[in-house]
Amino acid sequence: MIPFVDLKSQYTSIKSEVNAAIQGVLDSCQFTLGSEVAAFEEEFAAYCHSKHGIGVNSGTSALHLALLAAGIGPGDEVITVPFTFVATVAAIHYSGAKTVFVDIDPRTFTMDVGGIEAAITPKTKAILPVHLYGQPADMDPILEIAKRHGLVVIEDAAQAHGAEYKGRRAGSIGEMGCFSFYPGKNLGAYGEGGMVTTANADYARTLRMLRDWGAERKYEHVLKGYNYRLEGIQGAVLRVKLRRLEAWTEGRRAAAAHYDRLFSGGVVQTPAAMPYSRHVYHIYAIRTAQRQAWQDALQKQGIQTGIHYPIPVHLLPAYADLGYQRGQFPHAEKAAAEVLSLPMFPELTAAQCETVASAVKGLAAREPVAGLA
Ligand SMILES: Cc1ncc(COP(=O)(O)O)c(C=O)c1O
């Protein structure tokens, strides 16, 4: 049995330290925010090469508050991609703004920068690229377009802790970066969590108020805020795990490199790591036109896989009101039909990669030759 992710073995490897950290929070009774969260905010912001970190209760909340801090609301438009987890679009909806999609680049699964300018209108306020699967979007052209049109750039870095674009860390490239610490993420809490990173002190101050009822000081509510605070226990757990994140990321990158080698020769379409990026492989997605058959066959061989994500957001019933139709974002639609995420976690062994790869190659070899089917 090869699991898709293995949170249990990771917990086992850090159990005594995590348990002691949780006990410390119980003893201090600092259950929401508090000193462990404050220390984690500093440490994670430094890890991202950013100045301020504002801990919140999820990645979705991070995106929501980043949009509000940028002054985005009803009547505004935000440009993002339809090939993402639904939360990216939900957060734009929470802000009151309208989502405007551009397609993805099929090589990287991230925003097609060539499509941005055509999507800009006088109502556009922000561009929200998603560093999907752990690889940063092509940020330089995005920043250049944003600058020319006076737009804010907010990174959805929920899957990209420690990822780099031309040496710059995810979360330090746009005006704000939004992270998720959902348990299965590269840096995962033991519950929910998220963070906004920013170099801008004004945004940081606004974000700190917004996550805690808009209060400047207790009961002095300056803004209409939210209860989006990060819990003390999550801060303590995340501090322990952050100390291992680089080693875990290298474990993921080694597993991905091993998969790449095993699949070399072109029988299986593997994910492209661009020369500009340090890909942190939250997900290692191959592509196949026979996805359902492959997933079922792998499951029978004890290999768990995932699909991220089977329906692009513009075709989800929940967002039908955005008015998009099938066929408008062909690369996103094709990716959604073909991607298959292979087991990927830091502790994945070379032998496990080899078992997965030989099973996948066995399936690829059975496929009819194009044109003869
Ligand atoms: C790309 C992306 N954006 C946003 C989120 C939302 O994060 P959370 O689940 O912590 O709210 C996630 C993860 O779930 C994600 O993968």
Side-chain angles (χ1 to χ4, degrees):
M1 176 73 199
I2 303 180
F4 177 64
V5 290
D6 189 355
L7 297 184
K8 187 96 182 221
S9 79
Q10 188 170 88
Y11 172 57
T12 306
S13 74
I14 53 174
K15 186 169 181 167
S16 57
E17 236 180 291
V18 165
N19 289 6
I22 292 174
Q23 188 61 53
V25 176
L26 298 179
D27 290 336
S28 76
C29 293
Q30 293 187 347
F31 296 116
T32 97
L33 299 179
S35 58
E36 287 295 312
V37 168
F40 175 61
E41 287 175 333
E42 270 198 30
E43 291 161 7
F44 189 71
Y47 176 79
C48 297
H49 302 169
S50 189
K51 218 162 167 179
H52 309 278
I54 298 88
V56 291
N57 61 351
S58 72
T60 310
S61 300
L63 288 162
H64 181 195
L65 295 192
L67 290 159
L68 296 184
I72 288 159
D76 297 334
E77 293 178 358
V78 177
I79 294 173
T80 192
V81 285
F83 192 57
T84 182
F85 182 59
V86 69
T88 313
V89 180
I92 297 171
H93 169 71
Y94 299 165
S95 78
K98 183 181 162 206
T99 299
V100 174
F101 289 124
V102 300
D103 208 351
I104 54 163
D105 179 330
R107 293 170 305 167
T108 59
F109 304 109
T110 56
M111 186 175 277
D112 173 15
V113 296
I116 298 173
E117 299 233 41
I120 294 175
T121 76
K123 295 180 178 172
T124 308
K125 289 284 156 53
I127 308 177
L128 208 174
V130 181
H131 303 327
L132 202 75
Y133 297 164
Q135 171 155 254
D138 189 3
M139 293 302 289
D140 273 349
I142 293 174
L143 295 172
E144 189 275 316
I145 293 167
K147 193 169 177 195
R148 206 151 22 83
H149 293 269
L151 309 176
V152 175
V153 175
I154 298 170
E155 300 169 66
D156 184 338
Q159 304 187 359
H161 317 71
E164 289 175 12
Y165 177 81
K166 299 183 183 174
R168 284 174 280 165
R169 284 260 158 111
S172 72
I173 309 167
E175 270 83 3
M176 286 175 267
C178 301
F179 291 88
S180 165
F181 305 122
Y182 184 75
K185 294 291 196 268
N186 288 23
L187 179 61
Y190 288 163
E192 305 278 351
M195 191 172 294
V196 185
T197 52
T198 183
N200 181 313
D202 291 332
Y203 286 149
R205 184 172 159 269
T206 304
L207 289 161
R208 282 187 202 290
M209 288 197 275
L210 285 173
R211 70 153 173 207
D212 193 11
W213 291 119
E216 183 128 60
R217 279 173 292 279
K218 202 163 189 185
Y219 303 128
E220 290 180 31
H221 304 277
V222 180
L223 301 170
K224 292 191 178 74
Y226 298 81
N227 177 356
Y228 280 178
R229 296 175 296 246
L230 182 60
E231 293 186 345
I233 285 176
Q234 305 312 334
V237 168
L238 287 162
R239 287 187 77 195
V240 172
K241 296 184 78 174
L242 179 59
R243 293 197 276 275
R244 270 106 178 157
L245 183 57
E246 276 303 286
W248 286 336
T249 299
E250 287 308 321
R252 287 176 181 274
R253 287 169 51 77
H258 200 38
Y259 274 144
D260 284 348
R261 274 193 300 276
L262 294 164
F263 289 131
S264 66
V267 271
V268 175
Q269 202 178 335
T270 53
M274 302 305 274
Y276 56 63
S277 74
R278 180 199 194 207
H279 196 320
V280 296
Y281 293 101
H282 175 57
I283 299 283
Y284 185 97
I286 59 169
R287 297 180 74 138
T288 167
Q290 313 293 326
R291 181 177 61 202
Q292 191 59 57
W294 285 28
Q295 187 168 40
D296 294 346
L298 292 170
Q299 183 67 38
K300 282 204 191 95
Q301 296 176 63
I303 298 168
Q304 277 183 356
T305 56
I307 298 172
H308 305 89
Y309 298 89
I311 308 173
V313 182
H314 70 288
L315 299 180
L316 288 174
Y319 291 96
D321 60 348
L322 291 174
Y324 291 105
Q325 309 295 326
R326 185 175 293 279
Q328 277 188 272
F329 305 106
H331 294 307
E333 290 169 25
K334 192 156 191 287
E338 293 185 350
V339 288
L340 182 65
S341 311
L342 301 185
M344 175 49 73
F345 48 90
E347 300 80 8
L348 192 69
T349 64
Q352 286 175 314
C353 289
E354 285 150 27
T355 303
V356 172
S358 78
V360 170
K361 285 198 282 190
L363 292 164
R366 272 196 259 149
E367 233 153 71
V369 178
L372 297 180

